[in-house]
Amino acid sequence: MDTRKTREAGPLNLMQRWKETFTAKPSDKEKFYLTVAYPYPSGAMHVGHGRTYIVPDVIARFWRMREKEVLYPMAFHVTGAPVIGISKRIARQDQSAITLYRDLYRVPDDVLATFTDPINIVTYFSREYQRVMTAAGLSIDWSRTFTTIEPAYSKFIEWQWDHLKNAGYVVKGAHPVRYCTQCDNPVGDHDLLEGDTAQIQQFTLVLFSSEEGYIPCATLRPETVYGVTNLWVNPETEYVRIEIDGQIWIVSREAMGKLSLQDHDIKELGTIHGSYLVDRVVHHDLCGDIPILPASFVDPDMATGLVMSVPAHAPYDYIALRDLQQKGKYSTITPVGLIQVDGFGTAPAVEAVESAGITDQNDPRLLELTQQVYSAEHATGKMREKYGGKPVKIAREEVSIILTDRHGSIIMYEFDTRPVVCRCNNRVFVRVLHDQWFLSYSNPQWKEQVHEQLQRMDLVPPEVRAEFDRTVDWLNDWACTRRIGLGTRLPWDPEWLIEPLSDSTVYMAYYTIAAGIKKIDHTLLTPAVFDYIFLGKKQEGLPNPELLDELRREFLYWYPYNYRFSAKDLISNHLTFQIFHHCAIFPRELLPQGMVVFGMGLLNGAKMSSSKGNVYLLEDAINDFGADTVRMFLIGSGEPWQDFDWRNDLVASTKKQIDKFAATIQSCMEADGPVHPVDPWLMSRMQDHVAKGTAAMERFQTRQALYEMFYAVEADLRWYRRRTGSIQGKDASKILGSFASVWLRLVAPIIPYTCEELYQETNEGRLVSTAPWPVVDTSAICTDAELGEELLARTVEDIESILRIIKIKPEELSICIAPEWKWKIFSQVAQSPQNKTLIKEIMQDETMKQRGKETIDTVKQCTSHLHRLPPDLVSSLVQSRLSEYDLFIAAKEFLEREFSLTVTVYKAGECHHSKAQSALPYKPAIIIM
RNA sequence: GCGAGGGUAGCCAAGUGGUCAAAGGCGUCUGACUCAAGAUCAGAUCACGAAGGUGUUCGCGGGUUCGACUCCCUCCCCUCGCACCA
């Protein structure tokens, strides 16, 4: 029989019963509401996604068994531009897109043909997600599912944004973005063909006046303006004269295009050749009259295409100047040093170039040299006294302000690396958007609210707190609207769509009413309706008041949510955004209570990536190994916040363990034999596993919980089997039945299919999913039994280790127990924190004194022995005073069976072998002959 | 570069001042079962050892301490994030 099919494929009636069980309804029970970031369904689920939803599912199942009313909902985030790009690529038969969707995601050809409409992509994959999530055994309440472009959800988003606007958090502003002039839209990382690492840099334009107009030179180091000795122009290039915001400038043609995207009013007046500018004199108040010199390294496509020259501090400038001077020109120009750097003289660039032995401007080492000089000056440089004497870092800011305030300088944005190319093959430029809407995350009061809320929240693991706080501080205004994509339009400016990260911040509230709200026609869902449901502001004329009352109650039942789960890469945006939005809209008592941050997934040691084909689809994993195996492997692969590695070779062994577990449970449930002396030990240990496993689950330590509740129990059972001589089937002790009942329920959240089937065999078809979670039975805790078995196990280990070493053929094993007086010393040593006066104290006892050196040796031996025992074991040992003799007599048969030797147990003094004297409390002497 | 986290035996990984030669898993080896292989079960797996022991290890190098995988410092390496994108 193929056990996997019956156990893990999920019989139809079980799936039906689960579906009903997981539909959450407000009740008298305490609630537990957890949410996971909903998926963007643009492709098939892989095992990495699997873990994101399985870990919360295990938590959800745990709390459901703890008799809480659990809500675990799911929806689909279909807002944004990516699917539009995908559909375009499929429409134009882009081979890599076709391969990805047809071969890797295995989309049928007839379905793929419909993907030219982006809606069909998200619809198809939403269904796929739901199907695979269900197969994975996720206890999701599907009655509340929705997509983010449904009309009712859009109404909800409109309500949210009205509130944000009214609170003053949505503002219009100017902001530099990467912009594709052909798509007429900002471009994100994934829309780039080339240049995805390019950063937008802020150049200060220093305006030099000339007869022809201003000549703007871009610089990242405005503080060096005092050391400018000349300008550089490319004599091979044609420049343009432009009128910009009323001034006349000379810039490269490329620069004119760029500046026109940066919020300036520009008119081209004519052209002017680079060579024409050579030797003209320009002026700036901070450096005086200087000439324009020719240089081939000047790139017209870099900033303005004109460069100011600071030969003392810029290697390129120095070498270009030196080249000219070697030809006998401009010999009157000397570098002006203005920054003092440790390890350099007056002109660091000059020294660096000369000592590196660079001979011309095209030497590739110049780039590296420039980097070195720049970072040295930035990190440790100080302006010379004449120029203010401040550190470069500070002077840079100050000079920049002086330049903009008094010398007409403005900012120009430019990429640090080029080219940057859009997927449409067009060049991407920096554009300053001025009619863009922003969420003002820079607002200090808002930030403060979020900080305060974070303090009240439970963050798991605690280490992420620093990152959250830092993100809040670092966040700047967020451009929250787009021209293209799917989504909801901004209610007061419908030209704009609300951007995906911004429409997914308070939807956890929407889940609470997502099922009921469907009963109201979406056209009636005015902001007033949501004001009542979420904020309790009742107004006249609301539709269906009874239903709204019910929704209001349901919202208040579930909210605030208990925990939100998401991968750690969302800390710097989504996870923090959602706190901002909650703070802006909801009253304090409804604000989020906790977050759990996940690690990332690897596949066989390499990063999982759909585009590189390094993925293992969740559905394939479920088909190959079974849902329970996938679940248990993912839980066991690390704590939720740790990165994990999916490895097929390890997964196969997980499957074996589950099969073994199922067989064990079945045989335990059949057991009906007489009780065994080791039974109390087994049941006592189980209480410890229940306590530790429960505590781990409560702290989201699912891996630790799996260890306690599965592997540690299994290890106990192994020892139990060994002790009882593997009594199997019906003859095994009947306590195994209750043992199995506890064990089964402990493991049920992790491997529900297996446990559900096993549970129903003996529980009249009731579901383990709603069975009560095991509680610690204090009456079953038996410290003496645990101490005794621990001693026995340690002794067995010692015997094994001796047998391994000795080369004689053993025939007889003797165990000699330590005398009573050694116990006395043992407990005195155990209870004495430092043993300086200990020997004195012990010697006050006459009988001890008489033993002389023997006493002293025993104190030393006990001290080192105690040192090797766990502290809590020692304290129970001192209290319990178990009878070692009785223990070993009872275990005599076991020892004889284990080692196939005759075993004799001696009380202290009964054995006269010299080794018998080495017996210590909790460490009997072992004599093998 | 900036911010956050991390480097533990063949591999993955637990461990935050003495319970540590260091849990657990994988791999490997040995035994049992088997005609055999596989599966399963038991044991071993840093080195040395004819008695339960000893020696040397936890990224590199220093320091604090009677004692450090654990605390402090320098350095090296890895992962994640750095914004208009899910």
Side-chain angles (χ1 to χ4, degrees), chain A residues 151-160 506-507 509-510 530 534:
Chain A
Y153 186 80
S154 279
K155 293 291 183 179
F156 166 72
I157 294 299
E158 286 175 10
W159 165 80
Q160 175 192 355
V506 293
Y507 69 94
Y510 188 77
F530 294 108
F534 294 123

Side-chain angles (χ1 to χ4, degrees), chain A residues 110-121:
Chain A
D110 56 325
V111 177
L112 192 61
T114 69
F115 278 10
T116 47
D117 181 347
I119 298 285
N120 292 331
I121 301 176

Side-chain angles (χ1 to χ4, degrees), chain A residues 306-375:
Chain A
L306 288 139
V307 180
M308 64 187 214
S309 167
V310 189
H313 299 285
Y316 275 106
D317 293 341
Y318 168 65
I319 200 147
L321 181 64
R322 196 184 66 178
D323 281 357
L324 291 174
Q325 290 180 333
Q326 277 168 353
K327 290 173 193 152
K329 299 173 179 168
Y330 312 111
S331 47
T332 54
I333 299 177
T334 48
V336 179
L338 49 126
I339 297 166
Q340 178 64 53
V341 196
D342 293 344
F344 287 102
T346 328
V350 175
E351 291 171 32
V353 167
E354 294 301 343
S355 67
I358 289 171
T359 52
D360 75 293
Q361 341 188 352
N362 299 318
D363 193 314
R365 286 178 297 162
L366 267 174
L367 203 63
E368 197 187 323
L369 217 58
T370 300
Q371 199 57 49
Q372 279 170 16
V373 172
Y374 280 21
S375 10

Side-chain angles (χ1 to χ4, degrees), chain A residues 864-913:
Chain A
S864 96
H865 177 40
L866 275 166
H867 225 77
R868 289 158 191 270
L869 294 173
D872 46 341
L873 189 147
V874 170
S875 59
S876 349
L877 205 51
V878 168
Q879 281 161 30
S880 95
R881 294 297 312 276
L882 90 152
S883 162
E884 295 184 271
Y885 182 74
D886 295 347
L887 175 79
F888 282 105
I889 286 293
K892 188 166 168 296
E893 262 177 61
F894 162 67
L895 292 170
E896 289 181 333
R897 188 173 64 234
E898 276 289 307
F899 298 109
S900 308
L901 297 171
T902 351
V903 174
T904 319
V905 183
Y906 293 101
K907 284 185 181 163
E910 285 179 359
C911 174
H912 301 291
H913 192 280

Side-chain angles (χ1 to χ4, degrees), chain A residues 53-106:
Chain A
Y53 301 103
I54 286 167
V55 171
D57 181 63
V58 170
I59 300 295
R61 285 175 174 274
F62 166 71
W63 285 107
R64 208 173 278 118
M65 290 176 75
R66 291 287 295 278
E67 291 173 72
K68 297 230 187 184
E69 194 66 54
V70 172
L71 173 56
Y72 179 21
M74 188 61 59
F76 298 100
H77 194 205
V78 302
T79 317
V83 278
I84 293 180
I86 293 163
S87 70
K88 275 184 189 158
R89 267 175 276 153
I90 286 173
R92 78 168 107 92
Q93 297 288 307
D94 176 293
Q95 232 15 70
S96 65
I98 300 272
T99 308
L100 182 64
Y101 280 81
R102 191 185 55 204
D103 301 338
L104 191 67
Y105 295 156
R106 292 199 293 273

Side-chain angles (χ1 to χ4, degrees), chain A residues 669-738:
Chain A
M669 290 189 307
E670 284 164 17
D672 197 25
V675 294
H676 187 279
V678 191
D679 288 354
W681 173 80
L682 185 67
M683 294 311 279
S684 180
R685 291 280 296 175
M686 184 52 112
Q687 307 315 312
D688 192 44
H689 299 314
V690 170
K692 287 187 174 143
T694 305
M697 288 292 264
E698 285 173 351
R699 291 311 308 149
F700 304 96
Q701 296 169 355
T702 47
R703 176 202 168 104
Q704 180 66 27
L706 174 66
Y707 169 73
E708 281 296 339
M709 304 186 312
F710 190 90
Y711 294 106
V713 174
E714 203 186 32
D716 281 352
L717 203 56
R718 259 203 306 275
W719 175 253
Y720 178 82
R721 288 259 159 80
R722 200 170 160 191
R723 285 283 277 127
T724 58
S726 301
I727 306 167
Q728 289 286 354
K730 283 196 164 40
D731 298 331
S733 166
K734 61 189 172 205
I735 63 111
L736 288 176
S738 53

Side-chain angles (χ1 to χ4, degrees), chain A residues 399-427:
Chain A
V399 176
S400 174
I401 291 167
I402 292 169
L403 284 169
T404 34
D405 286 359
R406 301 189 212 152
H407 302 281
S409 284
I410 59 163
I411 297 296
M412 177 178 181
Y413 299 98
E414 177 69 288
F415 294 120
D416 58 352
T417 57
R418 279 158 297 124
V420 181
V421 182
C422 178
R423 275 200 200 277
C424 73
N425 260 321
N426 198 52
R427 265 282 292 278

